[in-house]
Amino acid sequence: MTGDLGVGIVGASISGGWAQESHIPAVLATPGVALRAVSTTRRATADASAEQFGARRAHTSATALATDTDVDLVTVAVKVTEHFESVTAAVAARKDVYCEWPLGVNTQQAKILRDHAVLAGVRHIIGLQSRQQPAVQLLRELVDGGRIGRVLAVHVLSVGMGHGAPVLARGKEWVADERNGLSALTVRTAHTLDAVQFAVGRLAGLSAKVGVATPKVAIEGENRWITKTAADQVAIEGALAGGATLSGLFVLGVHATGMPLMTVYGSEGTLEIVPDSPDGQIQMARLSLVETRSSGERSVLPAPEEPPGADGEPLAGPAASVRRMYRAIAAGTSDGDVPDFDDAVRLHELLDVIRRAAASGCWRGVV
C-alpha cells in the first residue's frame, strides 16, 4: 500500500446512485485519497464497478469490504435502511467510517451506532457536507466577524421535486414510508438546519408543521398506487439562542425557482446563499454568497477556485461538495467542519423536537 488513505465504498455501483454521482468522482479527484475497494450486493455488478472505477477489489457485502486490509476508511453510501448494518460492519472491523446522512432511520439507531463507534475508538464522520461548502464557511466567518452587525432574523428555504413527485420510479417504493428515514424532514430540513446552526447560531426553540401533501403516489410503469407517509412539507418558526428569529419552509413535489436557500438579516446588512440551479440544495449545489450592505450596494462575494476532477473537467456540485469532505478527512481535520456521529445524533434529536412540536401544536425548546 502507498501512503494514501485507502477508501472502500459500500454501494459503489455502475448502476447509478449517490455513490456514483458523488463519492466516486470525489475520491478519484482527491490527492492523498485512493479508491481501494467497492461493494454491491451482486458479484457481477461488484466486479464491473471495480473495473470501471479502478478499484483494486470488489466485494459483495459491507463486512467483506470492511475487513479488506487495503481499506482504511469505509464509506457507507447505500440507502438509509442499510446504514445500520453497513456502519456496524465497519466498526466491528475497527475501521474509520464515513456514513451518509441520515445516520440511521431514527434516533435510536443513530445513538447505537455512535456509541459503538466511540467504544471501538474509530473515527466516525457523518455526511453533512454543507459545512464544507465555501459559501457556508464564508457566511460563518462574516457573521462571527460582525460584517452585518447583529443578526436579527434568518429565513431558510429548500424546495424541489425530489421524492415528492406523484410518480415514483420502480425500486423507489421504500422512500414513501416515513419509517425508512427519507423525507422532506430528514433531508432538506435537516441539512439546512445543520448549516444554520454551523454558520449562524444554535436553535433555542421552535414550532412546526409537518405534513404529507401527496398521500397517494403511483409506481412508474405499474397500474397501482401506494400510500405515502413520508413528510413532503415542513414549516418552521423558531428562535436562535442569540435572539434572532428563524423561519423555514421545506417542500417536495414542487418546481423550484432558485430562490436563496438561506438569508441572514443583520442590523447592518444582509447575506444570502444562492444555488446555481433552481433545485439546488445547500449541502451539494454550487453556491454563491450575495451581500447587501446598509447602503443598498449589492455584490457577489468571491469564492475560492475549485480544482478540476480527475478528467480535467469541473466536478458537478454533489461531487465537489463530497470532495471537500474527503480533503478534510485526509488532512486529519477534527473540528466542527468535519461533523461526526455526535453531530448526527444531535441533529436526529432536533428532528424529534420538530416532530413533537408539530404533533402538539406547541412551542418546543431545543436542548
Side-chain angles (χ1 to χ4, degrees):
M1 291 180 62
T2 69
D4 291 341
L5 176 71
V7 176
I9 302 179
V10 182
S13 173
I14 58 172
S15 302
W18 180 246
Q20 185 183 35
E21 181 182 357
S22 60
H23 285 274
I24 295 295
V27 168
L28 296 179
T30 306
V33 177
L35 182 62
R36 301 295 189 203
V38 297
S39 76
T40 68
T41 56
R42 293 188 296 127
R43 170 52 60 190
T45 305
D47 289 341
S49 300
E51 181 177 1
Q52 178 165 319
F53 301 143
R56 288 182 180 176
R57 294 196 180 95
H59 301 286
T60 56
S61 72
T63 298
L65 181 142
T67 54
D68 188 324
T69 55
D70 274 356
V71 171
D72 305 307
L73 173 72
V74 176
T75 292
V76 176
V78 289
K79 62 185 183 181
V80 188
T81 52
E82 298 171 8
H83 283 188
F84 190 87
E85 179 182 355
S86 299
V87 173
T88 298
V91 171
R94 297 296 193 270
K95 295 293 176 70
D96 294 345
V97 58
Y98 172 9
C99 181
E100 273 298 345
W101 170 265
L103 180 53
V105 297
N106 53 42
T107 305
Q108 181 183 12
Q109 278 195 357
K111 286 181 174 179
I112 292 171
L113 293 175
R114 186 270 314 273
D115 291 348
H116 286 176
V118 170
L119 185 62
V122 300
R123 190 176 187 194
H124 41 92
I125 300 106
I126 188 68
L128 295 169
Q129 288 93 351
S130 71
R131 300 188 188 197
Q132 286 293 323
Q133 291 277 51
V136 174
Q137 293 185 338
L138 180 56
L139 173 67
R140 182 189 195 188
E141 178 184 331
L142 295 179
V143 168
D144 287 348
R147 177 74 163 251
I148 59 172
R150 185 166 65 92
V151 175
L152 303 176
V154 180
H155 177 68
V156 287
L157 176 72
S158 186
V159 303
M161 190 57 61
H163 295 307
V167 179
L168 290 177
R170 288 181 178 178
K172 290 293 185 179
E173 188 171 333
W174 67 276
V175 305
D177 191 332
E178 177 73 18
R179 295 170 298 181
N180 290 331
L182 200 69
S183 69
L185 177 62
T186 61
V187 181
R188 288 180 181 264
T189 306
H191 278 291
T192 304
L193 294 184
D194 184 67
V196 169
Q197 296 199 110
F198 172 75
V200 186
R202 183 180 63 82
L203 265 165
L206 56 85
S207 59
K209 290 187 177 181
V210 179
V212 182
T214 309
K216 292 288 185 180
V217 293
I219 304 301
E220 185 178 20
E222 300 182 20
N223 187 26
R224 64 189 181 97
W225 295 71
I226 63 170
T227 299
K228 185 178 76 175
T229 57
D232 53 25
Q233 293 197 1
V234 180
I236 291 174
E237 296 291 336
L240 303 185
T245 58
L246 171 74
S247 59
L249 179 65
F250 313 92
V251 183
L252 294 176
V254 298
H255 299 282
T257 60
M259 295 288 286
L261 301 176
M262 186 189 306
T263 305
V264 183
Y265 299 95
S267 58
E268 299 175 23
T270 299
L271 293 168
E272 298 169 277
I273 290 180
V274 182
D276 69 341
S277 61
D279 196 18
Q281 297 182 52
I282 199 164
Q283 75 277 14
M284 61 183 183
R286 292 189 182 277
L287 307 174
S288 298
L289 185 61
V290 179
E291 179 183 32
T292 302
R293 302 297 294 161
S294 56
S295 64
E297 180 185 357
R298 187 173 170 84
S299 60
V300 179
L301 300 179
E305 286 286 327
E306 281 288 335
D311 59 1
E313 297 296 321
L315 287 180
S321 174
V322 172
R323 174 173 59 180
R324 296 183 203 107
M325 189 75 89
Y326 279 111
R327 277 202 309 242
I329 294 169
T333 304
S334 59
D335 57 19
D337 291 8
V338 180
D340 60 19
F341 286 7
D342 286 320
D343 296 298
V345 168
R346 283 190 288 270
L347 190 54
H348 273 284
E349 290 175 335
L350 174 59
L351 300 186
D352 288 341
V353 172
I354 294 172
R355 292 184 181 100
R356 290 195 294 270
S360 67
C362 299
W363 181 274
R364 294 282 180 168
V366 179
V367 178

